[in-house]
Amino acid sequence: MTTSIIKTQEINNQLSNSELKLKDIIKTLPKECFQQNRRKAWTQVILNVVMVGLGYYSLAIAPWFLLPIAWIFTGTALTGFFVIAHDCGHRSFAKRRWVNDLVGHIFLLPLIYPFHSWRIKHNHHHKHTNKLDEDNAWHPIRPEVFTSWDKTYQSAFELFMRKRLWWVGSIGHWAAVHFDWRNFKTKDQADVKLSVVVVLIFAAIAFPLLIATTGIWGVVKFWLMPWLVYHFWMSTFTIVHHTAADVPFAEADKWNEAIAQLSGTIHCDYPRWIEFLCHDISVHVPHHLSTAIPSYNLRLAYSSIKENWSPYLHDECRFSWSLMKQITDQCHLYLTDVGYQTFDEYYAKR
């Protein structure tokens, strides 16, 4: 039995036996963490718009051999647009709901992302973080589920993990889930339809204009490539936040919300320029303890959490290709109450 599986089982015991409540942790956080600051929020908006504008300007003037650098910068800055909308989706950007909805819709438009669709699905993830069969973010696949798939689906998923194609994961999620209001409860479908219509109208105007003024290459240069970089970061942030060989996913009867958020959410350090452009979304543990904490207060909250709750926290990590290799090599399928197994282990037992 591997060390990671032993640790997983120990944490699973904590998940089922701990009497710790989420409110107990939240009470220890400084009140300043929850205070919305209009100046900070709108400063983030202005800085982000400037950075995205700078990115597009660099795309317009850069020679062909510098385009990859410009695409990476612009796509990362556009990820900052998503983080602003992320705060809006949690109602932590502004006190007025209509301001959150308006800003959220505007900042997701260049990403062709329906705001309410994302907001509703993402809030479900927060309510059921690391709960088997309920968490809808980057959840593990159990062997019995994998076995039930047809060969084509199995091969696609195995290719996706073995060949390190995790970075296209959010594209599939975006396309398959967020435009079909039938994926949502009846009470939410009106909001979802509104967001889908808004995005489609924007696309119907923006893409023909872009083609008319810059041609098909302009769509690739100014939209597709930065959009792919954005999805790289979306997929990466999502998988790293909750995936490691020793991070447990528990069934509902063994799931403890407080322990799941503390032990099942991973803090990962990225290069400072990425954290600046993406508004510290990688400081993710406090966000999972309370979605009311605005992004500009995440570091303050995390300092308090480390001071008071460090025994419960997962080890911090640093983004690198070796980290992504480790995740995609080890975290393939998930055995209930045991932990992750690789495809090689799965096939060896068949």
Side-chain angles (χ1 to χ4, degrees):
M1 183 175 286
T2 65
T3 302
S4 64
I5 292 179
I6 292 173
K7 186 172 182 181
T8 296
Q9 290 178 329
E10 291 174 351
I11 298 175
N12 269 330
N13 289 333
Q14 292 179 349
L15 290 173
S16 58
N17 297 329
S18 176
E19 296 181 358
L20 183 65
K21 304 296 182 184
L22 196 59
K23 63 181 180 181
D24 298 329
I25 306 169
I26 293 174
K27 286 179 181 178
T28 68
L29 297 177
K31 292 182 179 178
E32 293 84 353
C33 296
F34 304 95
Q35 292 177 356
Q36 293 182 12
N37 185 308
R38 186 181 301 174
R39 178 184 59 80
K40 289 182 179 179
W42 287 102
T43 298
Q44 278 189 340
V45 167
I46 294 170
L47 284 173
N48 210 163
V49 170
V50 170
M51 292 298 102
V52 169
L54 180 62
Y56 282 124
Y57 177 72
S58 68
L59 289 175
I61 66 170
W64 66 268
F65 55 87
L66 292 180
L67 282 177
I69 297 174
W71 284 328
I72 291 171
F73 178 85
T74 307
T76 307
L78 284 169
T79 308
F81 272 22
F82 169 81
V83 179
I84 290 173
H86 178 267
D87 274 9
C88 293
H90 290 305
R91 314 305 189 193
S92 61
F93 178 83
K95 290 182 171 61
R96 297 181 184 274
R97 181 178 292 254
W98 72 266
V99 176
N100 286 306
D101 287 350
L102 178 61
V103 174
H105 276 90
I106 290 173
F107 275 79
L108 287 188
L109 284 179
L111 306 173
I112 315 299
Y113 227 118
F115 172 71
H116 284 308
S117 305
W118 169 83
R119 175 183 64 81
I120 294 164
K121 290 294 183 183
H122 184 67
N123 282 331
H124 185 85
H125 158 64
H126 275 275
K127 292 178 181 178
H128 304 282
T129 303
N130 289 30
K131 184 190 294 183
L132 280 173
D133 301 324
E134 281 292 341
D135 192 344
N136 63 346
W138 196 292
H139 59 84
I141 304 300
R142 291 191 278 185
E144 57 267 32
V145 175
F146 181 76
T147 303
S148 69
W149 291 346
D150 62 45
K151 294 297 182 182
T152 301
Y153 203 6
Q154 287 182 353
S155 298
F157 180 70
E158 190 169 345
L159 177 70
F160 176 72
M161 295 302 292
R162 284 184 183 270
K163 299 302 181 181
R164 314 202 211 297
L165 297 176
W166 84 88
W167 55 273
V168 302
S170 65
I171 298 176
H173 194 260
W174 162 81
V177 174
H178 294 87
F179 290 87
D180 188 349
W181 47 81
R182 294 170 299 181
N183 293 322
F184 298 82
K185 295 178 180 178
T186 303
K187 67 182 181 66
D188 296 322
Q189 289 183 0
D191 284 342
V192 172
K193 289 178 182 178
L194 171 65
S195 292
V196 170
V197 168
V198 168
V199 163
L200 293 179
I201 290 174
F202 174 82
I205 296 172
F207 286 119
L209 281 176
L210 194 56
I211 292 171
T213 55
T214 64
I216 297 298
W217 169 239
V219 176
V220 173
K221 178 180 177 180
F222 291 105
W223 182 78
L224 179 61
M225 298 307 295
W227 184 77
L228 290 176
V229 172
Y230 153 72
H231 274 289
F232 171 89
W233 289 123
M234 272 288 289
S235 297
T236 300
F237 289 149
T238 304
I239 191 173
V240 171
H241 282 161
H242 302 286
T243 309
D246 58 353
V247 168
F249 280 71
E251 294 182 300
D253 61 341
K254 298 180 180 180
W255 183 78
N256 176 284
E257 183 180 23
I259 299 297
Q261 308 292 14
L262 277 175
S263 300
T265 307
I266 300 171
H267 175 91
C268 182
D269 289 317
Y270 292 78
R272 194 68 193 100
W273 69 273
I274 296 173
E275 295 189 339
F276 169 73
L277 290 175
C278 299
H279 310 300
D280 290 329
I281 193 61
S282 60
V283 186
H284 210 59
V285 179
H287 176 64
H288 263 271
L289 296 177
S290 175
T291 58
I293 301 174
S295 56
Y296 45 80
N297 289 335
L298 290 173
R299 291 192 179 274
L300 172 64
Y302 189 55
S303 295
S304 173
I305 293 164
K306 288 202 293 184
E307 181 178 347
N308 293 300
W309 303 99
S310 58
Y312 292 92
L313 295 175
H314 190 277
D315 293 338
E316 295 182 358
C317 62
R318 182 172 295 277
F319 172 73
S320 64
W321 292 112
S322 62
L323 171 67
M324 303 314 300
K325 181 179 184 298
Q326 183 179 34
I327 291 173
T328 53
D329 282 351
Q330 296 179 356
C331 303
H332 294 163
L333 302 173
Y334 193 85
L335 294 169
T336 308
D337 295 329
V338 176
Y340 283 100
Q341 70 171 179
T342 66
F343 284 119
D344 289 340
E345 292 169 334
Y346 167 77
Y347 287 120
K349 294 178 180 180
R350 290 180 62 79

